[in-house]
Amino acid sequence: MVLSWCLGAALALACGSLWPQVHSAVAPENEVPLRPTTWLPEGKITSVTLPKGRTRLYFTLKKKAPGMSVTVSPCDLPIEWTLAARTLKDKPLKNLQSTKKSMPEVWWRGPGTEEKLHSFSGSAVDSYSGPSYPTASIYILRLRSKQQNTRATVYLHEGLGPSGVFPSLPPDPQVHTLGVGMTSVTLSWVPSASITNLPHMQTSYEYCVLVNSQQNYPSLCAAQKSMRKEKDQKQEKKEKRRSVTVWPILKEWWWQQWDTYPEPRSPPPSLTDEYEDLQCVCQGTESVCTVSELLPETQYYFDVFVVNRLNGTSMTYKGTFARTHEEARPAITTLREGELKWVTFQDRGFKSEQFFSFHPRGWQQSGLLTLQSCGGGEKVKVTVSSKGQVLTSQAVRGELVHIWLQGSPSYLIHLEREGTATGHTSTVTDPSLPEVLTASVKMQTSSAYHRRGVPSLPSTLQIKSFNRLRGCNSVTLAWMGTEERSLYCVYRRKLGSREAEAGGGSALTAPCLGPESRSDTERVLCKYFQELNPRRAVTTAVIGGLEPGKAYVFDVYLMRRWGIPIKYASKMVKTRKEC
């Protein structure tokens, strides 16, 4: 145990003595730190990592070089770069070359003059082309990133004329929008001379069209970096967090020591890496592209790049943006005060819908919505909302549905047909029939100025006939009423022999058939009735003036001030032949 403690202490002392020696060897007290100098090769694409601050690249030209061109392509952030020619008065001594200082730094600190040749600030690809300076001792390319670490690509070409390494852009590099739809956008652009001048069988140049919903990218490198970042964020969400180290002090000290060393330069990305994360929606040599499978009512940004597949260079067209059209919103029908509405779903598919709006009158902003199913085995659902908030949603069946509306200046009523009930088949609408016989739902909206709730309904909607009181010229009917004073109207219709044998089940006995659809000659009486005790709310009526031995269909309607009239179930009664 004592031996292990001694070994641990000795190891700690040894490690503690090693780290200061390494640090002092890098930057002794009597030595000026070397500047980060890099020679820029000619005819090679050089990828440069730009930390926050200024980076210098040095190069010289051949004695017989008539001119030069320098091209700088930023990645994702705007940068500043300048090109200068420096002329030294005296050549450096040969013995200075053996010092720890590099040759460019010796020239930098020597006496001389410097002339600025070119300067640029931005995120676009920029080039300088001009003659060489015979008196120049060295050329200095200064690059600076103001915001944060980024990357840039630099290419040096000796000679006059274009280098031909980067693709060419047309005089008008703007991407144009030909058409915008709900889920697609069609783009066009002026073709690049690098593609139009290609031989027929060569495919070294091509276009790549990218789309996103955030921004236009200044370069292909920026698009690739953004896609990789998004991919990494998704991957980090899936992975679990790494466990915290047991020695946090040692971890912090280790990173402090690591930060004292310069960041290693990353090698230039290969062509395979350049295309690894790209998802071009259009790729090829055509200058027209249709981007489909987009979301409606969404703004998208479109970028077009012309890419040299041999060396991985690219040029960026001036991107554009477009907003897809919104989805076709259904028509909303405004309901008038007290209007009876027969809703017919023309689309006999599995699901169809209609929208209505209602604005109640009066400062109370209250109203009553009444709906009644017209039968046919259809499943209909009503949803009432106001200001985007759903107030109620329920099914509309054979019974009358009352929905009390209160507290909003306007209401949106959504009727949705969800198919047919089990055991029923969807019938085809006959255009020759009246609307009341082909409708699926009967609906009415009315403002309620004094009422504070839905009206009361009868306990049953069945009509009873008394066989003992049935005569040759008259019948006696009875039905249930309510505790409210209401008007009841009785209608009759004589049946033919065939209808009588069929039980009177014709289309004219439809649930949505109201008194407004009946002839005045069919109305036999109207009477008011009220009974405060619901159990005793039974009223009767004697219908006379009938023919002996004939079958009649009787309908009773409960007429109300608010809401659609309530139709009782039709009752067929046959008078006696002999009395």
Side-chain angles (χ1 to χ4, degrees), residues 73-78 123 150-153 210 212 214-230 274 277-278 303 305 314 316:
S73 176
C75 182
D76 57 333
L77 297 176
S123 57
T150 183
R151 191 161 59 93
T153 301
L210 297 181
N212 71 94
Q214 297 179 357
Q215 62 179 350
N216 286 112
Y217 294 118
S219 64
L220 195 64
C221 174
Q224 182 190 22
K225 186 175 181 180
S226 177
M227 293 179 183
R228 285 183 177 177
K229 183 179 180 180
E230 184 178 355
E274 201 72 27
D277 298 323
L278 294 180
D303 296 295
F305 308 94
S314 63
T316 307

Side-chain angles (χ1 to χ4, degrees), residues 84-253:
R86 184 169 180 81
T87 302
L88 297 178
K89 293 182 179 180
D90 300 324
K91 293 185 178 180
L93 299 177
K94 295 183 179 180
N95 57 357
L96 290 179
Q97 299 180 7
S98 60
T99 62
K100 293 183 179 180
K101 292 185 174 61
S102 60
M103 183 61 65
E105 182 162 345
V106 173
W107 285 350
W108 169 263
R109 290 187 175 276
T113 59
E114 184 174 312
E115 183 177 355
K116 182 186 292 187
L117 305 180
H118 182 73
S119 64
F120 177 80
S121 176
S123 57
V125 179
D126 185 61
S127 298
Y128 165 78
S129 298
S132 60
Y133 280 69
T135 59
S137 304
I138 192 172
Y139 294 90
I140 306 174
L141 177 63
R142 298 180 176 90
L143 302 100
R144 182 183 180 185
S145 175
K146 289 185 176 181
Q147 302 178 6
Q148 56 186 358
N149 297 351
T150 183
R151 191 161 59 93
T153 301
V154 183
Y155 184 79
L156 171 63
H157 170 66
E158 291 187 1
L160 299 176
S163 62
V165 175
F166 289 84
S168 60
L169 287 178
D172 178 20
Q174 178 66 50
V175 180
H176 302 280
T177 303
L178 291 183
V180 179
M182 189 172 64
T183 59
S184 63
V185 175
T186 302
L187 309 170
S188 70
W189 56 91
V190 180
S192 169
S194 301
I195 292 181
T196 56
N197 297 334
L198 272 179
H200 179 66
M201 298 302 294
Q202 289 189 9
T203 59
S204 56
Y205 291 92
E206 67 177 6
Y207 299 110
C208 175
V209 182
L210 297 181
V211 57
N212 71 94
S213 58
Q214 297 179 357
Q215 62 179 350
N216 286 112
Y217 294 118
S219 64
L220 195 64
C221 174
Q224 182 190 22
K225 186 175 181 180
S226 177
M227 293 179 183
R228 285 183 177 177
K229 183 179 180 180
E230 184 178 355
K231 184 179 179 181
D232 294 341
Q233 289 177 352
K234 292 181 180 179
Q235 188 67 22
E236 288 179 1
K237 292 180 180 178
K238 295 180 181 179
E239 295 178 355
K240 295 181 179 180
R241 294 182 180 179
R242 297 180 180 178
S243 58
V244 184
T245 179
V246 183
W247 299 330
I249 299 177
L250 178 61
K251 178 184 176 182
E252 182 180 357
W253 172 80

Side-chain angles (χ1 to χ4, degrees), residues 469-534:
L469 302 178
R470 181 169 58 97
C472 295
N473 304 106
S474 64
V475 295
T476 302
L477 305 177
W479 62 89
M480 298 295 295
T482 64
E483 61 270 21
E484 298 177 353
R485 189 173 185 270
S486 304
L487 179 65
Y488 299 86
C489 292
V490 182
Y491 288 75
R492 73 177 182 186
R493 184 173 59 89
K494 186 173 67 173
L495 299 179
S497 58
R498 292 185 179 180
E499 286 184 312
E501 293 177 359
S506 63
L508 295 180
T509 60
C512 288
L513 186 64
E516 69 282 348
S517 304
R518 307 294 293 267
S519 174
D520 291 340
T521 58
E522 295 181 350
R523 185 175 65 241
V524 293
L525 65 90
C526 288
K527 57 178 290 189
Y528 284 95
F529 175 76
Q530 180 183 18
E531 176 58 51
L532 299 180
N533 187 355

